[in-house]
Amino acid sequence: MGKIFNGILGRFSGKVGSIVGVNWRGLNIIRALPKKSTREVTVAQLFQRKKFAIVIRFLRLLKPIVGNYFGSNKGTNSRFNSATSYHIKEAVTPVGDSFEIMFNKVEITRGDLIGVQSPNVEALPDTALRFNWTDNSGQGQAKTTDRLIVVVYEPETKTAKYSLNLGTRDLETADFVLPSVISGATVHCWISIVSENSKLVATSEYLGSIVLT
């Protein structure tokens, strides 16, 4: 049942007959219910749906990062939508009758801030990782107080772990401890950096895969 809020000219929510009222990104919208298609789905459409499903499943694990730090909102196109579009076009590859994520093409953040210099990652005992980099504060808008973002993804269990504040640019090293249940697993790692006020962000960098010890 549909509801009208604040009188006849107010917001409408719910379904009445063949129309439905929704609030989408702050806009009140009334639209017709979708009709079931009788057309046969093509192979190309099925492949596109598979690509979309794989990308969405991966990006949802990182929504707090991608949704806030991937480019900028453009009209009704959100950062998450922009990230979805990019990864469907650039970061999946066909494998048999399905698709896989190309981790070296993944971008978890996108922006104009200068990233950290010479980043790398090494495995430590007890499923920990050490991220290292060179302090390049003073280049462009880079500052010592910029916050480190790291993402670690384990593809077998489809587990993503991340930190939005692992340290500051001037520290040059930071340790990230992962759950012991994934000891021995191969994980993929990304690093990025964001300004202290979260208004500027770098484009993330893929650091490759590493085996946890």
Side-chain angles (χ1 to χ4, degrees):
M1 180 178 69
K3 294 182 179 180
I4 296 176
F5 300 88
N6 301 323
I8 191 68
L9 299 179
R11 179 167 60 90
F12 168 73
S13 176
K15 183 176 70 171
V16 174
S18 61
I19 62 171
V20 61
V22 296
N23 185 277
W24 180 70
R25 293 181 59 78
L27 300 176
N28 296 315
I29 298 172
I30 295 177
R31 62 190 180 193
L33 289 172
K35 295 181 179 179
K36 291 184 178 180
S37 175
T38 57
R39 295 181 180 179
E40 186 175 347
V41 179
T42 66
V43 172
Q45 288 174 325
L46 285 173
F47 270 37
Q48 190 67 14
R49 290 178 184 179
K50 287 182 179 181
K51 289 170 69 175
F52 180 82
I54 289 169
V55 166
I56 288 294
R57 187 162 53 243
F58 177 73
L59 291 182
R60 277 179 177 165
L61 297 172
L62 307 173
K63 195 168 184 178
I65 302 176
V66 174
N68 287 295
Y69 299 119
F70 193 94
S72 60
N73 291 323
K74 297 178 181 178
T76 57
N77 193 40
S78 69
R79 291 180 174 89
F80 190 84
N81 289 343
S82 295
T84 300
S85 177
Y86 163 78
H87 286 86
I88 287 174
K89 293 176 182 176
E90 305 293 342
V92 290
T93 186
V95 177
D97 61 352
S98 188
F99 294 87
E100 288 184 356
I101 298 287
M102 294 188 291
F103 298 114
N104 64 320
K105 297 288 187 180
V106 166
E107 292 183 6
I108 58 170
T109 65
R110 177 181 286 183
D112 298 325
L113 184 64
I114 293 177
V116 294
Q117 184 175 320
S118 306
N120 65 78
V121 61
E122 58 181 308
L124 301 178
D126 302 320
T127 59
L129 294 173
R130 175 163 292 166
F131 291 85
N132 305 294
W133 64 93
T134 300
D135 179 15
N136 56 343
S137 304
Q139 294 182 2
Q141 299 184 71
K143 297 182 179 180
T144 59
T145 54
D146 295 337
R147 296 180 286 107
L148 198 72
I149 295 174
V150 298
V151 168
V152 178
Y153 179 71
E154 199 282 292
E156 292 300 316
T157 59
K158 295 180 172 55
T159 299
K161 298 294 180 182
Y162 56 83
S163 173
L164 296 172
N165 188 10
L166 194 62
T168 50
R169 191 188 291 264
D170 60 326
L171 293 180
E172 296 194 325
T173 188
D175 294 349
F176 190 46
V177 180
L178 296 160
S180 59
V181 293
I182 56 174
S183 176
T186 298
V187 296
H188 298 266
C189 305
W190 294 263
I191 191 170
S192 187
I193 201 156
V194 62
S195 62
E196 187 177 21
N197 62 8
S198 296
K199 291 184 177 180
L200 296 173
V201 66
T203 296
S204 61
E205 186 169 346
Y206 177 60
L207 301 182
S209 61
I210 192 167
V211 179
L212 297 175
T213 59

